[in-house]
Amino acid sequence: MEHFETKLTVIGTGMTGMAATLFAANRGIDTVLVGSTSEIMFASGFIDLLGVHPIHERKSWKNPWQGIAEVRRDIPNHPYARMDETDIRTAFDQALSFLKDAGLPYLRRNEQNCRAVTSLGTLKSTYCIPHTMWAGVEALEEKSPCLLVDFRGLKGFSARQIAAVLQHEWPNLRTVRISFPEMEHMEEVYTEALARNLSMEHNRVKLAEVIRPHVKGSVYVGLPAILGISSSYEVACDISDKIGAKVFEIPTMPPSVPGLRLKEAFEEQFPLRGVRPFFQKQVLNVHNGPGGEFKLDIGGDTTEFGVKTDGIIMASGRFLGGGLRADRHQIRETIFGLPVTQPSDRRLWHRRSFLDSRGHPVNRCGLEIDDEFRPLDKSGHPAYPNLFAAGSVLAHQDWMRMKCGSGLAIATAYKAVKAYSQMNERPVGP
Ligand SMILES: Cc1cc2nc3c(=O)[nH]c(=O)nc-3n(C[C@H](O)[C@H](O)[C@H](O)COP(=O)(O)OP(=O)(O)OC[C@H]3O[C@@H](n4cnc5c(N)ncnc54)[C@H](O)[C@@H]3O)c2cc1C
C-alpha cells in the first residue's frame, strides 16, 4: 500500500470540494483531493448565488447581494451569515478567473441576477452563466427573432415545448427538429456524444449546413447544451459564424454537458497546480493521531492508499453525494459520525404537502459549525481543531429552494480554506 503525507486533504469532488481545492492551491497549500461521483454532473452549468428568500414568500432577488443581506438578518445560522460579503466576492472572482483560464469562461452582471431559459421553457434567475449561454440572456431581453433547434432522438429536450411555455414572454420564437448529421439512423442520441462530435470542425460544418436553411431572418439560434466539451466557447463562436446567427446553449436534463465541462476543467487543471487527486476513490476510515494529525484509508472497496494529513476540509455533500445518510430513525454523518442537526422525529422531516411553500425541514439538516467553519461535537465545541466543513453538508440552508447551490459551495469552500490557512499557514494569497 502506498503512503502519502500532505498538509490538507479535501474530501469531496463536487462543486464544494473542487472549489476548496482550487482556493487551497491558490494559497500554495500542499493538498490531496479525494472523492467520487458528485452532483456536479447533474448541474445545469449555471452558478447561482442567491435567488429566493424567504422561501415561503417565494421572494426573488434581482440583486443577490441585497438578498444575502436579508438572509444574514433573518437566518443568523445560515452559512452565508457566517462570512463577510468581501470573502464571497473574492471567492467568486477566483473561481471565475480559474474557469476562464481553463477555457470555460462565465459571464455575470456583478450586482444582478440574469434570467435564462431552461430545458422546460421556464425562466431561471441565476448569477453566473457560461459564455456559451449568454447570447440567450440577451436574446430574451431583446425579444429578438430566434430559432430553437432540437434533435430527433434527444430525450428531454423539446424546442416546441420551450417555445410553447414562453409564447407570451417571447413571441418571436420559431422551432425546428432536425436529425443530427450522420446519426440519422439512431433511435436515441446523447448529449455527451453530440458534444464530443462537435469538438471536431468538420462535424460543425455538417451541422451548420443542416441548420442554415432554417435560420430565415432569426438573429439568434438556441441549441441544447452540446457545443463541445473542453473548448465550448470556441465551438459556439465557430457555429455562429458558419450559420450566420448568434448561437446560444440551453441546459438539458441531467446528466449535463455543462456539468461535465466543469468536472473536466477541474480534473485537468489540478495536477498542473500541484494537487494530488484521488478521483473515484473514497475515504474508508479516519484515525486521529496524538498530535492532532489524521490518517486516512483511501480506496474503492478496500484500502489502496494511506494519507497522513494535518487538516481536512469535509465537502462530502448530502444524501446524493453520500456525506449524509438517513436510516429509519435518524440522519447520520458518514465519515466522522458527527452530530447532525435534524428534526427530533422522522415524522417531522417532511411536511404533509410535497409543494409546501416553506420547504421541508429535512432539507435544512446538516452540520453545525463555529465561526471558523469547524464542525461541532455534541458538546458544542469543534470536534477536531483542524477539521473544517463546507458546502451542502452544512445545516440551516435549503440551497435548492433558495437557489444558491453552487454559490454556497464556492463561498463556504473559500471560507473554510481561509480559516484553515489562518490557523496553519503563513498566508501567501488573499
Ligand atoms: C440536478 C441538480 C441541478 C443543479 N443545478 C444547479 C444550478 O442550476 N445552479 C447551481 O448553482 N447549483 C446547482 N446544483 C447544485 C450544485 O451543483 C451542487 O450540487 C451543490 O452545491 C452541492 O455540492 P457539494 O459539493 O456540496 O456536494 P456533492 O456534489 O454532493 O459532492 C459531495 C462529494 O463528496 C464525496 N464524498 C462523500 N463521502 C465521501 C467519502 N467517504 N470519501 C470521499 N468522498 C466522499 C462524494 O463522492 C462527492 O464527490 C444542482 C444540483 C443538482 C443535483
Side-chain angles (χ1 to χ4, degrees):
M1 187 171 75
E2 270 187 281
H3 287 274
F4 300 87
E5 283 195 23
T6 188
K7 292 277 181 202
L8 179 66
T9 298
V10 176
I11 304 179
T13 50
M15 190 53 126
T16 311
M18 297 296 203
T21 305
L22 167 67
F23 299 137
N26 284 355
R27 286 173 185 269
I29 300 169
D30 178 26
T31 306
V32 156
L33 169 65
V34 54
S36 52
T37 316
S38 72
E39 292 186 4
I40 214 168
M41 288 291 294
F42 300 96
S44 60
F46 298 141
I47 299 182
D48 303 345
L49 176 55
L50 184 87
V52 177
H53 171 73
I55 53 178
H56 63 273
E57 289 177 18
R58 299 212 172 104
K59 181 173 177 184
S60 71
W61 290 89
K62 188 148 191 167
N63 180 329
W65 302 104
Q66 288 174 353
I68 288 174
E70 292 277 303
V71 169
R72 246 189 221 115
R73 210 192 56 201
D74 298 343
I75 317 175
N77 284 328
H78 190 285
Y80 275 157
R82 313 293 293 271
M83 54 190 303
D84 298 337
E85 185 178 308
T86 321
D87 282 343
I88 305 178
R89 288 186 185 270
T90 309
F92 266 80
D93 290 346
Q94 288 193 16
L96 296 189
S97 161
F98 165 84
L99 290 171
K100 183 167 175 243
D101 292 347
L104 199 47
Y106 271 71
L107 293 179
R108 61 176 163 165
R109 298 194 171 116
N110 278 323
E111 308 302 313
Q112 260 188 45
N113 282 325
C114 305
R115 290 194 313 163
V117 176
T118 72
S119 60
L120 300 175
T122 52
L123 296 179
K124 171 159 172 138
S125 178
T126 185
Y127 186 56
C128 303
I129 298 196
H131 205 323
T132 52
M133 298 184 184
W134 188 255
V137 173
E138 293 176 335
L140 171 68
E141 285 170 352
E142 295 162 10
K143 309 282 189 280
S144 291
C146 175
L147 174 71
L148 297 180
V149 179
D150 66 19
F151 297 102
R152 285 189 188 92
L154 180 61
K155 298 258 167 74
F157 189 95
S158 161
R160 276 177 67 183
Q161 182 192 334
I162 295 172
V165 175
L166 283 174
Q167 58 183 324
H168 299 299
E169 178 94 25
W170 191 356
N172 264 332
L173 288 176
R174 288 186 305 111
T175 67
V176 65
R177 174 162 294 181
I178 60 174
S179 295
F180 197 89
E182 294 181 1
M183 297 192 192
E184 295 86 352
H185 57 286
M186 290 182 166
E187 271 184 28
E188 199 165 341
V189 294
Y190 299 95
T191 51
E192 184 180 340
L194 302 185
R196 296 208 184 274
N197 176 291
L198 290 180
S199 300
M200 281 171 282
E201 211 255 340
H202 61 273
N203 292 329
R204 301 200 284 271
V205 172
K206 288 180 203 151
L207 179 66
E209 275 168 13
V210 183
I211 295 176
R212 207 182 303 114
H214 300 281
V215 174
K216 295 180 190 151
S218 289
V219 182
Y220 293 91
V221 172
L223 291 159
I226 55 159
L227 302 181
I229 306 276
S230 60
S231 45
S232 50
Y233 178 58
E234 285 72 22
V235 171
C237 291
D238 187 38
I239 296 189
S240 295
D241 289 346
K242 286 182 168 44
I243 63 177
K246 290 187 215 171
V247 161
F248 65 92
E249 292 187 309
I250 299 170
T252 59
M253 299 300 267
S256 78
V257 167
L260 182 65
R261 285 178 195 147
L262 281 166
K263 180 173 170 285
E264 289 197 357
F266 286 116
E267 285 181 359
E268 279 165 21
Q269 290 296 314
F270 282 160
L272 307 176
R273 293 171 184 237
V275 173
R276 282 174 286 171
F278 292 86
F279 293 123
Q280 298 309 326
K281 302 288 178 213
Q282 292 283 306
V283 171
L284 302 173
N285 287 302
V286 185
H287 315 274
N288 191 223
E293 78 284 3
F294 298 96
K295 287 187 180 150
L296 310 178
D297 298 336
I298 292 177
D301 294 335
T302 56
T303 305
E304 297 164 47
F305 309 98
V307 171
K308 187 173 161 208
T309 182
D310 292 350
I312 293 178
I313 293 182
M314 289 174 67
S316 44
R318 302 181 71 76
F319 303 103
L320 195 57
L324 300 180
R325 190 167 299 144
D327 62 28
R328 295 180 69 81
H329 306 289
Q330 60 169 340
I331 295 161
R332 291 182 300 109
E333 186 282 308
T334 55
I335 304 173
F336 293 86
L338 294 166
V340 176
T341 293
Q342 58 192 287
S344 55
D345 189 307
R346 191 188 160 124
R347 280 169 296 186
L348 303 174
W349 288 3
H350 297 95
R351 299 188 199 277
R352 293 188 80 80
S353 163
F354 178 68
L355 296 175
D356 193 305
S357 63
R358 294 165 296 172
H360 300 283
V362 69
N363 293 330
R364 287 174 187 258
C365 71
L367 304 182
E368 297 290 344
I369 45 170
D370 72 354
D371 287 343
E372 312 304 327
F373 278 53
R374 291 179 297 183
L376 305 182
D377 64 16
K378 279 189 190 131
S379 68
H381 296 102
Y384 303 93
N386 239 351
L387 177 66
F388 303 81
S392 61
V393 72
L394 302 179
H396 307 293
Q397 52 79 27
D398 183 347
W399 66 261
M400 218 176 280
R401 279 187 164 75
M402 295 177 86
K403 310 253 177 279
C404 65
S406 296
L408 188 94
I410 291 168
T412 57
Y414 181 82
K415 173 72 188 191
V417 172
K418 185 176 171 185
Y420 166 84
S421 174
Q422 283 172 341
M423 287 184 193
N424 292 276
E425 308 262 325
R426 206 142 29 100
V428 294

mmCIF file of all heavy atoms in Angstrom, residues 15 18-19 21-23 25-26 90-106 261-273 275:
data_model
loop_
_atom_site.group_PDB
_atom_site.id
_atom_site.type_symbol
_atom_site.label_atom_id
_atom_site.label_comp_id
_atom_site.label_asym_id
_atom_site.label_seq_id
_atom_site.Cartn_x
_atom_site.Cartn_y
_atom_site.Cartn_z
ATOM 1 N N MET A 15 -18.923 20.481 -6.407
ATOM 2 C CA MET A 15 -18.546 21.887 -6.587
ATOM 3 C C MET A 15 -17.805 22.409 -5.357
ATOM 4 O O MET A 15 -16.836 23.165 -5.480
ATOM 5 C CB MET A 15 -19.821 22.703 -6.833
ATOM 6 C CG MET A 15 -19.561 24.103 -7.273
ATOM 7 S SD MET A 15 -18.466 24.201 -8.700
ATOM 8 C CE MET A 15 -19.419 25.171 -9.797
ATOM 9 N N MET A 18 -14.166 20.814 -5.240
ATOM 10 C CA MET A 18 -13.350 21.360 -6.328
ATOM 11 C C MET A 18 -12.947 22.800 -5.999
ATOM 12 O O MET A 18 -11.784 23.190 -6.175
ATOM 13 C CB MET A 18 -14.121 21.323 -7.650
ATOM 14 C CG MET A 18 -14.491 19.926 -8.119
ATOM 15 S SD MET A 18 -13.057 18.905 -8.512
ATOM 16 C CE MET A 18 -13.779 17.693 -9.629
ATOM 17 N N ALA A 19 -13.920 23.577 -5.527
ATOM 18 C CA ALA A 19 -13.618 24.982 -5.211
ATOM 19 C C ALA A 19 -12.620 25.069 -4.055
ATOM 20 O O ALA A 19 -11.659 25.851 -4.110
ATOM 21 C CB ALA A 19 -14.910 25.721 -4.873
ATOM 22 N N THR A 21 -10.368 22.952 -3.207
ATOM 23 C CA THR A 21 -9.043 22.546 -3.705
ATOM 24 C C THR A 21 -8.406 23.675 -4.506
ATOM 25 O O THR A 21 -7.204 23.955 -4.371
ATOM 26 C CB THR A 21 -9.191 21.277 -4.567
ATOM 27 O OG1 THR A 21 -9.850 20.284 -3.782
ATOM 28 C CG2 THR A 21 -7.852 20.748 -5.024
ATOM 29 N N LEU A 22 -9.210 24.332 -5.318
ATOM 30 C CA LEU A 22 -8.698 25.471 -6.090
ATOM 31 C C LEU A 22 -8.175 26.567 -5.152
ATOM 32 O O LEU A 22 -7.063 27.079 -5.333
ATOM 33 C CB LEU A 22 -9.826 26.033 -6.975
ATOM 34 C CG LEU A 22 -9.535 27.399 -7.583
ATOM 35 C CD1 LEU A 22 -8.397 27.307 -8.589
ATOM 36 C CD2 LEU A 22 -10.782 27.983 -8.236
ATOM 37 N N PHE A 23 -8.972 26.920 -4.137
ATOM 38 C CA PHE A 23 -8.558 28.000 -3.233
ATOM 39 C C PHE A 23 -7.308 27.603 -2.441
ATOM 40 O O PHE A 23 -6.446 28.445 -2.173
ATOM 41 C CB PHE A 23 -9.703 28.372 -2.286
ATOM 42 C CG PHE A 23 -10.940 28.869 -3.004
ATOM 43 C CD1 PHE A 23 -12.208 28.458 -2.626
ATOM 44 C CD2 PHE A 23 -10.819 29.748 -4.077
ATOM 45 C CE1 PHE A 23 -13.334 28.911 -3.294
ATOM 46 C CE2 PHE A 23 -11.951 30.211 -4.766
ATOM 47 C CZ PHE A 23 -13.208 29.791 -4.368
ATOM 48 N N ALA A 25 -4.972 25.517 -3.537
ATOM 49 C CA ALA A 25 -3.858 25.580 -4.494
ATOM 50 C C ALA A 25 -3.448 27.037 -4.722
ATOM 51 O O ALA A 25 -2.257 27.347 -4.815
ATOM 52 C CB ALA A 25 -4.259 24.919 -5.808
ATOM 53 N N ASN A 26 -4.429 27.942 -4.796
ATOM 54 C CA ASN A 26 -4.114 29.370 -4.977
ATOM 55 C C ASN A 26 -3.269 29.905 -3.828
ATOM 56 O O ASN A 26 -2.507 30.842 -3.998
ATOM 57 C CB ASN A 26 -5.395 30.197 -5.071
ATOM 58 C CG ASN A 26 -6.071 30.056 -6.440
ATOM 59 O OD1 ASN A 26 -5.531 29.407 -7.332
ATOM 60 N ND2 ASN A 26 -7.239 30.646 -6.587
ATOM 61 N N THR A 90 -14.594 37.650 -3.225
ATOM 62 C CA THR A 90 -13.256 37.147 -3.596
ATOM 63 C C THR A 90 -13.362 35.706 -4.098
ATOM 64 O O THR A 90 -12.698 35.325 -5.074
ATOM 65 C CB THR A 90 -12.301 37.203 -2.383
ATOM 66 O OG1 THR A 90 -12.356 38.509 -1.838
ATOM 67 C CG2 THR A 90 -10.877 36.878 -2.771
ATOM 68 N N ALA A 91 -14.186 34.913 -3.419
ATOM 69 C CA ALA A 91 -14.362 33.512 -3.831
ATOM 70 C C ALA A 91 -14.849 33.446 -5.281
ATOM 71 O O ALA A 91 -14.324 32.681 -6.098
ATOM 72 C CB ALA A 91 -15.363 32.820 -2.907
ATOM 73 N N PHE A 92 -15.843 34.250 -5.611
ATOM 74 C CA PHE A 92 -16.364 34.242 -6.987
ATOM 75 C C PHE A 92 -15.311 34.732 -7.977
ATOM 76 O O PHE A 92 -15.165 34.162 -9.059
ATOM 77 C CB PHE A 92 -17.654 35.084 -7.080
ATOM 78 C CG PHE A 92 -18.879 34.248 -6.912
ATOM 79 C CD1 PHE A 92 -19.309 33.867 -5.658
ATOM 80 C CD2 PHE A 92 -19.596 33.796 -8.013
ATOM 81 C CE1 PHE A 92 -20.428 33.065 -5.495
ATOM 82 C CE2 PHE A 92 -20.711 32.990 -7.872
ATOM 83 C CZ PHE A 92 -21.133 32.629 -6.612
ATOM 84 N N ASP A 93 -14.592 35.793 -7.608
ATOM 85 C CA ASP A 93 -13.562 36.314 -8.533
ATOM 86 C C ASP A 93 -12.542 35.221 -8.834
ATOM 87 O O ASP A 93 -12.153 35.010 -9.991
ATOM 88 C CB ASP A 93 -12.845 37.528 -7.920
ATOM 89 C CG ASP A 93 -13.759 38.741 -7.838
ATOM 90 O OD1 ASP A 93 -14.829 38.724 -8.473
ATOM 91 O OD2 ASP A 93 -13.402 39.692 -7.113
ATOM 92 N N GLN A 94 -12.089 34.522 -7.789
ATOM 93 C CA GLN A 94 -11.061 33.483 -8.000
ATOM 94 C C GLN A 94 -11.618 32.304 -8.806
ATOM 95 O O GLN A 94 -10.950 31.764 -9.685
ATOM 96 C CB GLN A 94 -10.515 32.982 -6.661
ATOM 97 C CG GLN A 94 -9.616 34.002 -5.973
ATOM 98 C CD GLN A 94 -8.818 33.400 -4.820
ATOM 99 O OE1 GLN A 94 -8.689 32.202 -4.682
ATOM 100 N NE2 GLN A 94 -8.264 34.277 -3.981
ATOM 101 N N ALA A 95 -12.853 31.897 -8.498
ATOM 102 C CA ALA A 95 -13.434 30.739 -9.199
ATOM 103 C C ALA A 95 -13.644 31.066 -10.681
ATOM 104 O O ALA A 95 -13.309 30.264 -11.563
ATOM 105 C CB ALA A 95 -14.750 30.336 -8.550
ATOM 106 N N LEU A 96 -14.175 32.263 -10.967
ATOM 107 C CA LEU A 96 -14.441 32.618 -12.372
ATOM 108 C C LEU A 96 -13.148 32.847 -13.143
ATOM 109 O O LEU A 96 -13.058 32.524 -14.337
ATOM 110 C CB LEU A 96 -15.339 33.854 -12.450
ATOM 111 C CG LEU A 96 -16.756 33.693 -11.874
ATOM 112 C CD1 LEU A 96 -17.617 34.895 -12.213
ATOM 113 C CD2 LEU A 96 -17.448 32.423 -12.346
ATOM 114 N N SER A 97 -12.140 33.380 -12.464
ATOM 115 C CA SER A 97 -10.845 33.578 -13.119
ATOM 116 C C SER A 97 -10.231 32.222 -13.481
ATOM 117 O O SER A 97 -9.698 32.031 -14.581
ATOM 118 C CB SER A 97 -9.960 34.379 -12.158
ATOM 119 O OG SER A 97 -8.645 34.248 -12.489
ATOM 120 N N PHE A 98 -10.343 31.266 -12.564
ATOM 121 C CA PHE A 98 -9.849 29.908 -12.846
ATOM 122 C C PHE A 98 -10.567 29.311 -14.054
ATOM 123 O O PHE A 98 -9.948 28.761 -14.966
ATOM 124 C CB PHE A 98 -10.052 29.005 -11.615
ATOM 125 C CG PHE A 98 -9.907 27.540 -11.922
ATOM 126 C CD1 PHE A 98 -8.654 26.939 -11.946
ATOM 127 C CD2 PHE A 98 -11.017 26.756 -12.219
ATOM 128 C CE1 PHE A 98 -8.516 25.589 -12.260
ATOM 129 C CE2 PHE A 98 -10.893 25.416 -12.533
ATOM 130 C CZ PHE A 98 -9.630 24.824 -12.544
ATOM 131 N N LEU A 99 -11.907 29.423 -14.052
ATOM 132 C CA LEU A 99 -12.681 28.800 -15.138
ATOM 133 C C LEU A 99 -12.347 29.446 -16.482
ATOM 134 O O LEU A 99 -12.263 28.768 -17.507
ATOM 135 C CB LEU A 99 -14.184 28.889 -14.841
ATOM 136 C CG LEU A 99 -14.648 28.000 -13.674
ATOM 137 C CD1 LEU A 99 -16.095 28.296 -13.293
ATOM 138 C CD2 LEU A 99 -14.497 26.517 -14.025
ATOM 139 N N LYS A 100 -12.119 30.751 -16.464
ATOM 140 C CA LYS A 100 -11.743 31.443 -17.719
ATOM 141 C C LYS A 100 -10.401 30.903 -18.217
ATOM 142 O O LYS A 100 -10.257 30.542 -19.389
ATOM 143 C CB LYS A 100 -11.644 32.941 -17.440
ATOM 144 C CG LYS A 100 -11.346 33.755 -18.655
ATOM 145 C CD LYS A 100 -11.569 35.235 -18.365
ATOM 146 C CE LYS A 100 -11.134 36.039 -19.568
ATOM 147 N NZ LYS A 100 -10.031 36.929 -19.279
ATOM 148 N N ASP A 101 -9.429 30.812 -17.305
ATOM 149 C CA ASP A 101 -8.106 30.300 -17.697
ATOM 150 C C ASP A 101 -8.190 28.841 -18.161
ATOM 151 O O ASP A 101 -7.376 28.390 -18.964
ATOM 152 C CB ASP A 101 -7.117 30.387 -16.525
ATOM 153 C CG ASP A 101 -6.802 31.831 -16.181
ATOM 154 O OD1 ASP A 101 -7.146 32.713 -16.985
ATOM 155 O OD2 ASP A 101 -6.240 32.076 -15.090
ATOM 156 N N ALA A 102 -9.176 28.109 -17.626
ATOM 157 C CA ALA A 102 -9.328 26.696 -18.003
ATOM 158 C C ALA A 102 -10.137 26.543 -19.298
ATOM 159 O O ALA A 102 -10.505 25.423 -19.671
ATOM 160 C CB ALA A 102 -10.001 25.924 -16.867
ATOM 161 N N GLY A 103 -10.472 27.655 -19.952
ATOM 162 C CA GLY A 103 -11.197 27.595 -21.223
ATOM 163 C C GLY A 103 -12.701 27.482 -21.054
ATOM 164 O O GLY A 103 -13.400 27.055 -21.972
ATOM 165 N N LEU A 104 -13.207 27.874 -19.871
ATOM 166 C CA LEU A 104 -14.646 27.773 -19.606
ATOM 167 C C LEU A 104 -15.147 29.121 -19.064
ATOM 168 O O LEU A 104 -15.550 29.225 -17.902
ATOM 169 C CB LEU A 104 -14.864 26.660 -18.562
ATOM 170 C CG LEU A 104 -16.242 26.042 -18.404
ATOM 171 C CD1 LEU A 104 -16.852 25.672 -19.733
ATOM 172 C CD2 LEU A 104 -16.156 24.826 -17.499
ATOM 173 N N PRO A 105 -15.133 30.158 -19.945
ATOM 174 C CA PRO A 105 -15.483 31.487 -19.432
ATOM 175 C C PRO A 105 -16.950 31.603 -19.022
ATOM 176 O O PRO A 105 -17.825 31.058 -19.700
ATOM 177 C CB PRO A 105 -15.169 32.414 -20.612
ATOM 178 C CG PRO A 105 -15.196 31.546 -21.814
ATOM 179 C CD PRO A 105 -14.805 30.166 -21.369
ATOM 180 N N TYR A 106 -17.178 32.312 -17.927
ATOM 181 C CA TYR A 106 -18.526 32.621 -17.439
ATOM 182 C C TYR A 106 -18.726 34.137 -17.511
ATOM 183 O O TYR A 106 -17.769 34.895 -17.403
ATOM 184 C CB TYR A 106 -18.688 32.174 -15.973
ATOM 185 C CG TYR A 106 -19.164 30.753 -15.823
ATOM 186 C CD1 TYR A 106 -18.330 29.688 -16.139
ATOM 187 C CD2 TYR A 106 -20.452 30.481 -15.371
ATOM 188 C CE1 TYR A 106 -18.771 28.375 -16.006
ATOM 189 C CE2 TYR A 106 -20.903 29.173 -15.224
ATOM 190 C CZ TYR A 106 -20.062 28.131 -15.548
ATOM 191 O OH TYR A 106 -20.509 26.834 -15.419
ATOM 192 N N ARG A 261 -18.260 19.622 -18.339
ATOM 193 C CA ARG A 261 -17.198 20.607 -18.634
ATOM 194 C C ARG A 261 -16.548 21.107 -17.349
ATOM 195 O O ARG A 261 -15.323 21.225 -17.271
ATOM 196 C CB ARG A 261 -17.804 21.814 -19.367
ATOM 197 C CG ARG A 261 -18.138 21.543 -20.792
ATOM 198 C CD ARG A 261 -18.790 22.792 -21.403
ATOM 199 N NE ARG A 261 -19.433 22.430 -22.647
ATOM 200 C CZ ARG A 261 -20.547 22.992 -23.109
ATOM 201 N NH1 ARG A 261 -21.141 23.952 -22.428
ATOM 202 N NH2 ARG A 261 -21.058 22.601 -24.246
ATOM 203 N N LEU A 262 -17.385 21.405 -16.347
ATOM 204 C CA LEU A 262 -16.835 21.875 -15.070
ATOM 205 C C LEU A 262 -15.931 20.809 -14.469
ATOM 206 O O LEU A 262 -14.803 21.076 -14.051
ATOM 207 C CB LEU A 262 -17.979 22.186 -14.091
ATOM 208 C CG LEU A 262 -18.706 23.514 -14.288
ATOM 209 C CD1 LEU A 262 -20.004 23.526 -13.494
ATOM 210 C CD2 LEU A 262 -17.828 24.681 -13.861
ATOM 211 N N LYS A 263 -16.438 19.577 -14.449
ATOM 212 C CA LYS A 263 -15.690 18.465 -13.858
ATOM 213 C C LYS A 263 -14.349 18.298 -14.574
ATOM 214 O O LYS A 263 -13.295 18.218 -13.932
ATOM 215 C CB LYS A 263 -16.542 17.196 -13.973
ATOM 216 C CG LYS A 263 -15.931 15.957 -13.415
ATOM 217 C CD LYS A 263 -16.970 14.834 -13.448
ATOM 218 C CE LYS A 263 -16.387 13.491 -13.132
ATOM 219 N NZ LYS A 263 -15.591 12.895 -14.195
ATOM 220 N N GLU A 264 -14.385 18.287 -15.892
ATOM 221 C CA GLU A 264 -13.133 18.060 -16.645
ATOM 222 C C GLU A 264 -12.171 19.234 -16.494
ATOM 223 O O GLU A 264 -10.952 19.035 -16.447
ATOM 224 C CB GLU A 264 -13.452 17.782 -18.125
ATOM 225 C CG GLU A 264 -14.099 16.422 -18.302
ATOM 226 C CD GLU A 264 -14.064 15.894 -19.736
ATOM 227 O OE1 GLU A 264 -13.582 16.587 -20.644
ATOM 228 O OE2 GLU A 264 -14.541 14.757 -19.929
ATOM 229 N N ALA A 265 -12.711 20.455 -16.401
ATOM 230 C CA ALA A 265 -11.822 21.623 -16.241
ATOM 231 C C ALA A 265 -11.026 21.491 -14.943
ATOM 232 O O ALA A 265 -9.805 21.675 -14.922
ATOM 233 C CB ALA A 265 -12.643 22.910 -16.236
ATOM 234 N N PHE A 266 -11.724 21.142 -13.859
ATOM 235 C CA PHE A 266 -11.028 20.986 -12.573
ATOM 236 C C PHE A 266 -10.049 19.806 -12.647
ATOM 237 O O PHE A 266 -8.902 19.917 -12.214
ATOM 238 C CB PHE A 266 -12.033 20.752 -11.445
ATOM 239 C CG PHE A 266 -12.799 21.982 -11.029
ATOM 240 C CD1 PHE A 266 -14.177 22.059 -11.193
ATOM 241 C CD2 PHE A 266 -12.147 23.061 -10.446
ATOM 242 C CE1 PHE A 266 -14.889 23.192 -10.794
ATOM 243 C CE2 PHE A 266 -12.850 24.195 -10.033
ATOM 244 C CZ PHE A 266 -14.226 24.261 -10.219
ATOM 245 N N GLU A 267 -10.528 18.694 -13.171
ATOM 246 C CA GLU A 267 -9.683 17.482 -13.185
ATOM 247 C C GLU A 267 -8.404 17.683 -13.995
ATOM 248 O O GLU A 267 -7.349 17.184 -13.624
ATOM 249 C CB GLU A 267 -10.475 16.301 -13.753
ATOM 250 C CG GLU A 267 -11.496 15.765 -12.764
ATOM 251 C CD GLU A 267 -12.292 14.576 -13.302
ATOM 252 O OE1 GLU A 267 -12.077 14.156 -14.444
ATOM 253 O OE2 GLU A 267 -13.135 14.077 -12.546
ATOM 254 N N GLU A 268 -8.506 18.418 -15.094
ATOM 255 C CA GLU A 268 -7.311 18.622 -15.927
ATOM 256 C C GLU A 268 -6.348 19.612 -15.297
ATOM 257 O O GLU A 268 -5.128 19.468 -15.415
ATOM 258 C CB GLU A 268 -7.731 19.126 -17.318
ATOM 259 C CG GLU A 268 -8.182 17.994 -18.221
ATOM 260 C CD GLU A 268 -8.930 18.493 -19.441
ATOM 261 O OE1 GLU A 268 -8.780 19.669 -19.808
ATOM 262 O OE2 GLU A 268 -9.681 17.674 -20.012
ATOM 263 N N GLN A 269 -6.887 20.626 -14.635
ATOM 264 C CA GLN A 269 -6.028 21.699 -14.124
ATOM 265 C C GLN A 269 -5.328 21.344 -12.812
ATOM 266 O O GLN A 269 -4.211 21.795 -12.557
ATOM 267 C CB GLN A 269 -6.856 22.973 -13.901
ATOM 268 C CG GLN A 269 -7.310 23.628 -15.187
ATOM 269 C CD GLN A 269 -6.133 24.127 -16.006
ATOM 270 O OE1 GLN A 269 -5.222 24.756 -15.481
ATOM 271 N NE2 GLN A 269 -6.126 23.821 -17.292
ATOM 272 N N PHE A 270 -5.976 20.545 -11.967
ATOM 273 C CA PHE A 270 -5.422 20.345 -10.620
ATOM 274 C C PHE A 270 -4.019 19.742 -10.612
ATOM 275 O O PHE A 270 -3.140 20.249 -9.911
ATOM 276 C CB PHE A 270 -6.384 19.525 -9.759
ATOM 277 C CG PHE A 270 -7.543 20.328 -9.233
ATOM 278 C CD1 PHE A 270 -8.707 19.709 -8.803
ATOM 279 C CD2 PHE A 270 -7.473 21.717 -9.160
ATOM 280 C CE1 PHE A 270 -9.779 20.452 -8.310
ATOM 281 C CE2 PHE A 270 -8.539 22.475 -8.673
ATOM 282 C CZ PHE A 270 -9.698 21.833 -8.246
ATOM 283 N N PRO A 271 -3.764 18.664 -11.360
ATOM 284 C CA PRO A 271 -2.409 18.115 -11.321
ATOM 285 C C PRO A 271 -1.363 19.151 -11.764
ATOM 286 O O PRO A 271 -0.246 19.172 -11.248
ATOM 287 C CB PRO A 271 -2.474 16.936 -12.294
ATOM 288 C CG PRO A 271 -3.923 16.573 -12.343
ATOM 289 C CD PRO A 271 -4.670 17.857 -12.181
ATOM 290 N N LEU A 272 -1.740 20.051 -12.684
ATOM 291 C CA LEU A 272 -0.816 21.091 -13.145
ATOM 292 C C LEU A 272 -0.521 22.105 -12.038
ATOM 293 O O LEU A 272 0.460 22.831 -12.086
ATOM 294 C CB LEU A 272 -1.395 21.841 -14.355
ATOM 295 C CG LEU A 272 -1.858 20.984 -15.538
ATOM 296 C CD1 LEU A 272 -2.495 21.844 -16.622
ATOM 297 C CD2 LEU A 272 -0.660 20.216 -16.113
ATOM 298 N N ARG A 273 -1.420 22.183 -11.054
ATOM 299 C CA ARG A 273 -1.253 23.145 -9.955
ATOM 300 C C ARG A 273 -0.751 22.475 -8.682
ATOM 301 O O ARG A 273 -0.895 23.003 -7.591
ATOM 302 C CB ARG A 273 -2.580 23.853 -9.694
ATOM 303 C CG ARG A 273 -2.953 24.740 -10.861
ATOM 304 C CD ARG A 273 -4.360 25.286 -10.731
ATOM 305 N NE ARG A 273 -4.692 26.054 -11.914
ATOM 306 C CZ ARG A 273 -5.076 27.339 -11.911
ATOM 307 N NH1 ARG A 273 -5.208 27.967 -10.784
ATOM 308 N NH2 ARG A 273 -5.347 27.959 -13.048
ATOM 309 N N VAL A 275 -1.801 19.739 -7.132
ATOM 310 C CA VAL A 275 -2.741 18.977 -6.302
ATOM 311 C C VAL A 275 -2.557 17.488 -6.588
ATOM 312 O O VAL A 275 -2.333 17.092 -7.738
ATOM 313 C CB VAL A 275 -4.196 19.389 -6.631
ATOM 314 C CG1 VAL A 275 -5.200 18.505 -5.902
ATOM 315 C CG2 VAL A 275 -4.422 20.850 -6.309
#
